[in-house]
């Protein structure tokens, strides 16, 4: 007797060769070229000039119209790679993290191991659990207003006061000046007052990050990476009062959680938080009603709920993590087929966050949409992701960035130079933060 045959699993459908190439050219390439780990100014300028980010969203909408909303394989010579097109699948993949959908994808491991090989995002099992627990506890991930807020407020007041003084002397506020002040705030907040002027540490990290942009294609610079971690460990031992380093050092299992690797991620990720604060300032400057509301809030004591919502709306419009990546650790079933273990999954966040075929006011600045909403409860809007790997700084970033914006608004009027944004028109897909300049009329 012939045994009954079990049917072979049906593979997920693929994009055609032409559409896979179109995806590579108009979605993957412009995103990678701008620098996933460290932004490349010339590429960000090109993306704004040629509308590349808006073009990527249109390409994704075209694929959805053509193939429907179920997951699709992108033809490529490396490994099965899936594109997610529906909020239902985004929810599933983010909820079922880290197994079977692991955040530690090959390309992320290759990139982040240049400067933080033991960060939770690229580790597994107990190592991931401990690293993640250290970040959750130190960054107070579930808490809208961090317990160190008074210290953050003081750091921001000192640095923004100094920044505006310098900007007035120069006649305008531009990115390099803002970013210098922002990183002083970040070093003080993360490492303590003695780190405020440690620009060498930030330079060291930036050099490692520039290599990380090349992921597999660049060898690791172990000597520099070790030097960077030794410096971070010294700050951890110092555990200066009112710093995140002091909270991390107090974490019960700190010795096993690779704290300097988690801290490397915090320092790295405060860079996109600075971009977001500066873009939020530009959006507010271009939206008179929101500006007035933000300034009124900045003038009185309170928890900056509106300005925090403005930060969330800014990162919805201009996501700083455009690609959320996962890799399957086991075979998974989908309505349209099966996917083997070891496959990559991509959530291209600008598609969902600028999807004008599904989302009202997709290209408008509407901070109100975030009021009363948890940053990780708005799927398919996922600027800070969602589920067990959601960014543990999803409340901290809006708070510190809102403090910086409030401190600027409190000190007088600001005007965005060059008419770059107009609240009566749809907002552009890219906003090159490197070239934003503000006048500070008295
Ligand atoms: C605009 C600023 C930021 C944005 C948009 C952002 C967004 C994200 C996103 C999308 C992820 C990936 C989650 C996933 O794969 O599902 C992530 C992970 C992470 N972020 Fe952020 N982040 C920002 C800033 C920060 C800051 C300032 C810190 C620390 C102070 C931080 C700490 C982390 C950590 C530790 C992880 C890894 C989480 C894990 O392993 O589960 N982020 N972030």
């Amino acid at each position: 007797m012939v045994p009954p045959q079990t049917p072979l699993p049906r593979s997920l459908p693929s994009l055609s060769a032409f559409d896979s190439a179109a995806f590579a050219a108009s979605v993957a390439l412009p995103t990678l070229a701008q620098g996933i780990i460290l932004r490349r100014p010339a590429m960000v300028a090109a993306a704004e000039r040629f509308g590349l980010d808006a073009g990527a969203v249109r390409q994704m909408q075209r694929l959805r119209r053509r193939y429907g909303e179920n997951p699709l394989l992108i033809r490529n010579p490396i490994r099965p790679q899936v594109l997610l097109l529906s909020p239902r699948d985004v929810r599933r993949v983010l909820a079922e993290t880290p197994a079977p959908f692991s955040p530690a994808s090959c390309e992320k491991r290759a990139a982040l191991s240049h400067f933080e090989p033991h960060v939770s995002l690229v580790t597994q099992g107990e190592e991931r659990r401990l690293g993640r627990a250290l970040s959750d506890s130190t960054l107070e991930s579930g808490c809208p207003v961090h317990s160190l807020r008074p210290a953050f407020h003081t750091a921001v007041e000192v640095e923004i006061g100094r920044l505006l003084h310098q900007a007035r002397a120069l006649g305008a506020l531009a990115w390099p000046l803002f970013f210098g002040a922002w990183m002083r705030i970040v070093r003080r907040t993360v490492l303590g007052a003695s780190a405020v002027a440690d620009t060498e540490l930030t330079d060291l990290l930036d050099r490692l990050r520039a290599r990380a942009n090349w992921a597999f294609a660049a060898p690791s610079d172990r000597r520099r990476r070790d030097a960077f971690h030794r410096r971070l460990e010294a700050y951890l031992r110092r555990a200066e009062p009112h710093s995140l380093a002091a909270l991390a050092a107090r974490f019960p299992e700190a010795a096993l959680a690779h704290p300097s690797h988690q801290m490397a991620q915090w320092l790295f990720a405060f860079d996109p938080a600075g971009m977001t604060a500066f873009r939020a300032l530009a959006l507010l400057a271009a939206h008179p009603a929101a500006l007035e509301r933000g300034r009124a809030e900045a003038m009185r004591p309170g928890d900056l709920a509106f300005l925090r919502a403005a930060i969330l709306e800014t990162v919805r419009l201009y996501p700083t993590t455009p690609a959320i990546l996962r890799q399957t650790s086991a075979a998974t079933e989908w309505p349209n087929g099966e996917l083997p273990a070891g496959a990559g999954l991509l959530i291209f966040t600008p598609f969902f966050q600028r999807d004008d075929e599904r989302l009202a006011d997709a290209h408008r600045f509407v901070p109100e949409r975030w009021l009363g909403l948890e940053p990780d409860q708005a799927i398919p809007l996922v600027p800070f992701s969602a589920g067990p790997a959601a960014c543990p700084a999803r409340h901290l970033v809006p708070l510190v960035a809102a403090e910086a914006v409030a401190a600027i608004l409190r000190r007088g009027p600001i005007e965005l130079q060059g008419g770059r944004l107009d609240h009566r028109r749809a907002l552009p897909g890219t906003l090159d933060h490197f070239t934003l300049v503000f006048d500070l009329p008295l």
Side-chain angles (χ1 to χ4, degrees):
M1 215 173 85
V2 182
Q5 296 235 319
T6 30
L8 281 174
R10 190 165 52 102
S11 166
L12 289 180
S14 299
L15 295 178
S16 69
F18 176 83
D19 284 331
S20 295
F23 170 84
S26 48
V27 181
L29 217 68
T31 307
L32 287 171
Q34 289 180 66
I36 289 281
I37 305 290
L38 183 68
R39 292 291 185 274
R40 300 182 175 108
M43 293 299 171
V44 177
E48 181 175 293
R49 176 143 188 240
F50 300 111
L52 299 183
D53 291 312
V57 172
R58 282 196 301 276
Q59 178 64 254
M60 293 286 299
Q61 290 174 326
R62 194 182 71 75
L63 293 177
R64 179 175 58 197
R65 278 196 294 277
R66 175 133 199 228
Y67 294 89
E69 293 208 358
N70 280 325
L72 292 167
L73 285 165
I74 306 160
R75 282 175 209 260
N76 75 90
I78 301 166
R79 63 156 189 204
Q81 176 63 53
V82 170
L83 186 60
L84 298 185
L85 291 150
S86 82
R88 176 200 64 206
D89 293 336
V90 169
R91 178 170 288 111
R92 172 183 172 192
V93 165
L94 296 181
E96 295 175 27
T97 290
F101 303 115
S102 169
S105 64
C106 298
E107 56 288 308
K108 216 188 287 174
R109 274 206 308 271
L112 297 185
S113 62
H114 282 277
F115 61 101
E116 46 180 31
H118 296 291
V119 68
S120 55
L121 258 184
V122 295
T123 51
Q124 322 248 20
E126 186 60 3
E127 189 178 11
R128 167 171 167 79
R129 189 193 68 75
L130 280 169
R132 172 77 207 197
L134 179 119
S135 283
D136 276 330
S137 131
T138 308
L139 308 174
E140 300 179 4
S141 58
C143 189
V145 178
H146 196 281
S147 61
L148 286 181
R149 184 189 176 191
F152 302 156
H153 181 82
T154 308
V156 167
E157 277 300 303
V158 171
E159 297 301 338
I160 297 293
R162 191 167 170 264
L163 167 72
L164 289 197
H165 188 71
Q166 289 170 328
R168 291 223 158 81
L170 289 168
L173 174 61
W175 170 253
L177 207 59
F178 173 82
F179 190 58
W182 176 256
M183 288 317 287
R184 287 170 66 88
I185 293 169
V186 169
R187 286 189 298 266
R188 186 192 283 262
T189 306
V190 176
L191 306 170
S194 71
V196 171
D198 191 355
T199 50
E200 256 179 59
L201 180 85
T202 311
D203 292 346
L204 212 47
L205 176 56
D206 284 354
R207 280 167 179 250
L208 292 165
R209 288 172 60 200
R211 290 178 97 83
N213 269 351
W214 295 99
F216 307 95
S220 289
D221 183 343
R222 286 175 186 230
R223 205 177 46 79
R224 196 166 266 145
R225 189 177 76 196
D226 291 347
F228 172 65
H229 281 276
R230 275 197 303 278
R231 245 176 141 109
L232 285 183
E233 281 156 12
Y235 284 114
L236 269 164
R237 280 193 299 276
R238 229 174 278 164
E240 289 181 39
H242 315 301
S243 69
L244 295 176
L247 296 187
R250 236 181 280 150
F251 179 70
E253 293 159 301
L256 300 171
H258 296 289
S260 72
H261 292 248
Q262 317 313 325
M263 266 167 57
Q265 170 73 19
W266 307 346
L267 288 173
F268 145 52
F270 261 120
D271 174 347
M275 292 174 206
T276 303
F278 209 51
R279 286 181 177 136
L281 203 59
L283 287 163
L284 286 165
H287 291 79
L291 180 64
E292 200 173 309
R293 188 165 174 188
R295 176 165 289 124
E297 186 177 74
M299 297 308 236
R300 53 172 197 265
D303 63 5
L304 302 179
F306 179 75
L307 287 173
R308 285 188 286 130
I311 300 295
L312 288 168
E313 179 67 346
T314 304
V315 79
R316 173 191 73 82
L317 287 161
Y318 300 107
T320 56
T321 311
I324 297 179
L325 303 174
R326 293 289 184 268
Q327 189 165 308
T328 51
S329 57
T332 51
E333 292 283 346
W334 301 83
N336 56 339
E338 193 182 298
L339 192 61
L345 294 133
L346 166 66
I347 299 169
F348 183 63
T349 62
F351 166 55
F352 295 102
Q353 296 179 179
R354 286 295 197 107
D355 185 3
D356 54 10
E357 293 174 357
R358 302 285 164 92
L359 177 68
D361 294 324
H363 307 304
R364 306 231 163 248
F365 178 61
V366 187
E368 291 79 1
R369 75 171 94 225
W370 291 97
L371 288 172
L373 200 60
E374 288 287 312
D376 58 343
Q377 299 293 322
I379 291 174
L381 310 183
V382 282
F384 287 96
S385 188
C391 179
R394 59 190 178 271
H395 288 297
L396 179 67
V397 166
L399 178 68
V400 180
E403 285 280 6
V405 169
I408 293 174
L409 297 184
R410 264 197 298 278
R411 284 172 170 77
I414 51 159
E415 284 166 14
L416 181 61
Q417 274 186 10
R420 292 264 299 266
L421 298 172
D422 180 345
H423 68 278
R424 287 158 299 201
R425 295 216 310 264
L427 289 166
T430 313
L431 182 59
D432 175 6
H433 60 285
F434 292 110
T435 53
L436 294 173
V437 184
F438 298 89
D439 288 324
L440 304 165
L442 277 175

